[in-house]
Amino acid sequence: MRPCMHYPEVPNTNELNRLLKHFSIPPKTKFTYGTAGFRYHHELLPPIIVRIAIFAALRSSSLDGEPVGLMITASHNPEQDNGLKISDSNGGMLPIEWEAMATDFANAKNLKLLMEIAAKNNSQPGKEMIVHIGRDTRSHSLHLSQLAIRSLKAFGAMVIDHGLVTTPALHYNVLRSNVNHMPNALLYGSSGTSFEKEYLNSIIGSYVSLLSTKSQLYTQKIHWNKRSMLVDCACGVGGLKVPLLNQMIEEFTENSGILLDTSSLVHLTPVNLPGDGPLNERCGAEYVQKQQKLPVIYTETDETLNMEYVASFDGDADRIVFHAKDVDGNLVLLDGDKIAVLVSSFLQEEIEALSTAVPFAKSIRCGIVQTAYANGSSTAYLKNVVKTDVVIAKTGVKHVHTAAHHHFDVGTYFEANGHGTVLFGKKFFELLAKAEQCLVSTSRKNRSNIAWQRLRVLPRLVNQAVGDAISDLFLVDAILYLKGWNLYTWGQLYSDMPSRQCKVKVQDRTMIHTNENETKATSPIQLQMALDAAMDAMAKNSPTGRQANRPRAFVRPSGTEDAVRIYAEANSQKDADALATEAAALVYKLCNGTGNLPSFTKESKL
Ligand code: NG1
Ligand code: ZN
């Protein structure tokens, strides 16, 4: 877990020129910064790695030497793909204004052009340039990270190599080395261990504290037979970390002195570890959520696996979805939308409970950010039952994160695919300080006091920089435990509208443009007209006229894969499938489709 340091060396222009020449840009290729960085077939990656490593060093220089991060991963994509995610010095995503420069860099032929682009963007090499590097378990990630390190050293940057880490842990390492960006409430003395261990310990410590607030406030509706969760690690890097957690929980509980019935602690059974099976293939969060199927468990084990409480991560462990197998063997899926509902209802309840003693709590703006992929039933439930504000932002963490920050003091965001977190703003920390003054001498059993104890541990439990599967796992488990719920109770909060997602390959996906929140295609112009007609036709035959049940379909070019994504939802699976099939056929016809056309109905119309 300890990082390997590479101290800055004198810039070596010859070596840089050699690298740029050897790893040249293939003819007729244009690389673009996508939804979360660069993502391509791994054979295309080396030229991007060399150039974006230099770019990252310049970004650090532009921040007066604040360390930034480079993560070698293609997240949920198949094994043959790889990519680069950039962490800014505050642990968040690269600011959107820097994306164009990153794209120009990825496509620049030589050092002279790179420096011209840098100068045009008022960016220049500095004395201090520090880049943290991490990588996932793909077979080509080691080689690519070594190439990044070589490029950074040749450019005169300092490199801190964390080896195999999850994407959120790399972001945390970056944030932790820029303490000026950490909220005061998260600053505590160094534990003397690695930042990654410190991070996991802080999650576990907050989790245990949260569990210890259990009281008779919630009536225990359902008793767990055994608090044990199967964790499908998608055969990715999360599988190297989850096996460490049970022992960390035990150690923390023993040493902390927190009084807790140890049977309340969840026991994790990690499966689909690196090497057990193919990365992200028929397992992991992306597969379960998009295909709506139970994952294959590749791990050989003598144990009978508990399929009642399962979490699936994606390949770099920044996404999580929960699921169970019902008595008929069908999937019960608790996706990012369901997590958003669970978490935001909990936050609202606790803030409300606190407000009886601390009226300031009433002024806290709580809300949710979703994307167009959010199931219509979840949005309706959040607005009508949870009675919270909902903002729909563009796909991608960089958009939902910014919106959560902008609109709310306590902003929860979750993409339906399970990527999300809760952001606590300045006003929330003010509330905690006021609560401390009012409640410090009250009984720990007082409801407002309990709410304060719960709320104050959350910023350390929930990653403040990016969504993290491990942190979200403990957050969800703690809420379920406090409420006495299992996955079925949680799932019954509302029923998802049946939906279908699929992809279509086209000659050039950039020909599709969308409106601000991606719910409509603005070009080609005929596409939206045809989609509207398909939705209207289906709405006429829908059993109810309620707004939430109106069939909906939209299409948008993926920013991580060479495909156009199709989403459809309707009042029955048959209708959702038919609408998705029709939308796919329209994209294929109007946008020069290539390859196979997905069809979920027996006959597909072209
Ligand atoms: P694209 O490929 O742009 O749809 C996908 C996800 C995003 C986000 C990014 C980054 C869907 C529909 N889209 O983006 O939400 O997670 O990958 O990993 O799941
Ligand atoms: Zn991911």
Side-chain angles (χ1 to χ4, degrees):
M1 278 201 192
R2 286 214 173 270
C4 171
M5 317 290 277
H6 299 263
Y7 291 96
E9 292 170 9
V10 179
N12 183 339
T13 312
N14 287 342
E15 165 80 339
L16 278 177
N17 283 328
R18 239 190 330 269
L19 285 168
L20 289 163
K21 195 164 164 207
H22 185 74
F23 298 106
S24 58
I25 318 259
K28 297 194 190 141
T29 312
K30 166 106 168 93
F31 298 120
T32 39
Y33 189 100
T35 309
F38 295 92
R39 225 173 268 188
Y40 291 96
H41 189 281
H42 73 95
E43 284 166 2
L44 289 173
L45 254 278
I48 307 180
I49 296 277
V50 175
R51 289 157 178 81
I52 295 305
I54 301 172
F55 170 83
L58 285 168
R59 175 68 187 146
S60 166
S61 163
S62 80
L63 296 164
D64 291 330
E66 286 185 353
V68 300
L70 269 187
M71 178 74 192
I72 315 283
T73 182
S75 186
H76 64 272
N77 287 40
E79 160 79 33
Q80 77 264 17
D81 287 352
N82 215 322
L84 264 178
K85 289 183 176 178
I86 301 171
S87 163
D88 214 29
S89 62
N90 59 9
M93 307 297 281
L94 180 75
I96 292 176
E97 315 81 79
W98 278 70
E99 290 183 4
M101 176 176 162
T103 294
D104 289 348
F105 250 64
N107 295 289
K109 285 202 167 49
N110 53 42
L111 194 55
K112 184 169 166 277
L113 286 172
L114 284 174
M115 289 306 107
E116 278 173 20
I117 296 165
K120 211 173 80 195
N121 288 278
N122 299 323
S123 179
Q124 55 189 350
K127 274 200 216 115
E128 284 259 284
M129 298 182 287
I130 307 174
V131 180
H132 289 258
I133 294 230
R135 63 173 201 276
D136 71 9
T137 53
R138 284 175 164 78
S139 53
H140 22 88
S141 291
L142 173 61
H143 155 72
L144 293 173
S145 77
Q146 284 167 343
L147 182 59
I149 293 169
R150 199 173 142 196
S151 313
L152 284 161
K153 282 166 77 176
F155 196 59
M158 175 169 177
V159 186
I160 302 165
D161 180 15
H162 297 274
L164 290 159
V165 278
T166 66
T167 295
L170 194 262
H171 281 258
Y172 179 81
N173 278 313
V174 174
L175 172 63
R176 184 66 176 79
S177 50
N178 291 291
V179 281
N180 53 317
H181 289 296
M182 289 188 85
N184 285 342
L186 300 188
L187 279 176
Y188 28 82
S190 166
S191 53
T193 58
S194 72
F195 286 164
E196 188 187 0
K197 187 137 191 240
E198 173 189 293
Y199 171 57
L200 293 176
N201 266 327
S202 115
I203 291 176
I204 287 167
S206 315
Y207 164 73
V208 174
S209 308
L210 195 52
L211 293 188
S212 72
T213 65
K214 171 97 174 163
S215 68
Q216 296 313 310
L217 288 171
Y218 290 103
T219 45
Q220 183 115 4
K221 289 182 196 136
I222 289 189
H223 292 275
W224 296 88
N225 292 333
K226 193 176 155 206
R227 286 189 34 80
S228 128
M229 190 197 300
L230 193 71
V231 187
D232 154 25
C233 302
C235 304
V237 68
L240 301 179
K241 311 296 170 183
V242 177
L244 311 174
L245 298 171
N246 288 322
Q247 202 187 335
M248 289 177 77
I249 296 175
E250 240 170 71
E251 277 170 15
F252 181 87
T253 320
E254 260 171 44
N255 300 334
S256 67
I258 294 177
L259 292 177
L260 190 72
D261 169 8
T262 46
S263 67
S264 62
L265 298 165
V266 72
H267 179 83
L268 306 176
T269 306
V271 290
N272 292 344
L273 310 183
D276 287 353
L279 179 74
N280 295 325
E281 204 178 300
R282 297 200 296 140
C283 65
E286 173 76 358
Y287 174 78
V288 174
Q289 188 252 342
K290 295 275 186 334
Q291 304 297 322
Q292 302 181 10
K293 288 188 182 145
L294 289 158
V296 173
I297 307 297
Y298 295 104
T299 311
E300 285 174 21
T301 165
D302 297 335
E303 256 181 88
T304 315
L305 299 173
N306 167 21
M307 300 299 285
E308 282 196 342
Y309 191 20
V310 190
S312 282
F313 288 10
D314 74 339
D316 62 341
D318 58 358
R319 293 189 193 173
I320 188 169
V321 295
F322 294 83
H323 50 94
K325 189 155 112 177
D326 71 9
V327 280
D328 303 320
N330 297 323
L331 171 82
V332 179
L333 174 66
L334 293 304
D335 61 2
D337 298 339
K338 281 263 160 63
I339 300 176
V341 165
L342 180 78
V343 171
S344 62
S345 320
F346 173 74
L347 287 165
Q348 298 237 132
E349 279 165 27
E350 297 307 316
I351 291 176
E352 189 160 343
L354 184 58
S355 73
T356 48
V358 190
F360 181 73
K362 289 201 170 76
S363 67
I364 297 285
R365 291 169 308 157
C366 286
I368 305 281
V369 183
Q370 298 189 303
T371 72
Y373 291 98
N375 192 283
S377 299
S378 73
T379 314
Y381 187 88
L382 285 164
K383 287 184 178 166
N384 305 332
V385 182
V386 184
K387 297 201 186 307
T388 193
D389 289 331
V390 182
V391 169
I392 304 291
K394 265 191 182 160
T395 304
V397 171
K398 58 194 181 195
H399 300 295
V400 284
H401 189 98
T402 314
H405 241 316
H406 178 75
H407 292 281
F408 305 116
D409 303 313
V410 177
T412 305
Y413 69 80
F414 271 92
E415 296 189 285
N417 60 33
H419 195 155
T421 195
V422 184
L423 298 181
F424 298 98
K426 223 170 121 227
K427 209 163 161 193
F428 176 80
F429 292 106
E430 266 177 60
L431 170 66
L432 292 183
K434 285 189 199 297
E436 181 165 9
Q437 279 171 9
C438 300
L439 295 166
V440 76
S441 52
T442 61
S443 154
R444 286 179 65 79
K445 292 208 164 139
N446 167 299
R447 182 64 183 98
S448 296
N449 192 314
I450 290 174
W452 169 51
Q453 291 170 52
R454 289 178 176 172
L455 291 167
R456 72 181 173 183
V457 298
L458 294 179
R460 284 193 192 180
L461 169 56
V462 189
N463 190 309
Q464 293 303 286
V466 282
D468 180 353
I470 292 179
S471 142
D472 292 338
L473 178 155
F474 286 115
L475 173 69
V476 165
D477 181 71
I479 299 176
L480 291 178
Y481 170 73
L482 293 177
K483 287 185 176 264
W485 286 2
N486 64 14
L487 294 201
Y488 302 100
T489 345
W490 175 18
Q492 278 158 11
L493 286 180
Y494 66 87
S495 303
D496 274 322
M497 280 180 83
S499 67
R500 177 64 66 193
Q501 293 193 54
C502 59
K503 297 180 264 193
V504 178
K505 283 210 177 235
V506 296
Q507 269 168 25
D508 175 13
R509 68 191 198 279
T510 61
M511 74 180 280
I512 298 184
H513 294 268
T514 65
N515 65 345
E516 190 44 36
N517 61 17
E518 298 175 325
T519 48
K520 288 195 181 305
T522 49
S523 76
I525 194 86
Q526 309 91 311
L527 180 58
Q528 191 57 46
M529 284 159 62
L531 285 170
D532 285 341
M535 286 186 269
D536 287 346
M538 192 160 279
K540 273 198 196 131
N541 299 322
S542 284
T544 88
R546 282 193 300 130
Q547 189 61 25
N549 288 337
R550 196 184 143 74
R552 183 168 74 94
F554 69 93
V555 305
R556 57 174 277 280
S558 161
T560 59
E561 293 171 53
D562 183 15
V564 178
R565 291 197 192 277
I566 316 286
Y567 177 88
E569 60 181 31
N571 291 292
S572 67
Q573 194 59 53
K574 193 165 150 268
D575 280 1
D577 288 350
L579 194 54
T581 303
E582 186 157 2
L586 288 168
V587 169
Y588 198 92
K589 188 167 121 191
L590 297 170
C591 309
N592 312 317
T594 58
N596 294 335
L597 178 61
S599 169
F600 303 96
T601 53
K602 290 220 173 76
E603 299 153 39
S604 86
K605 298 174 245 165
L606 254 184

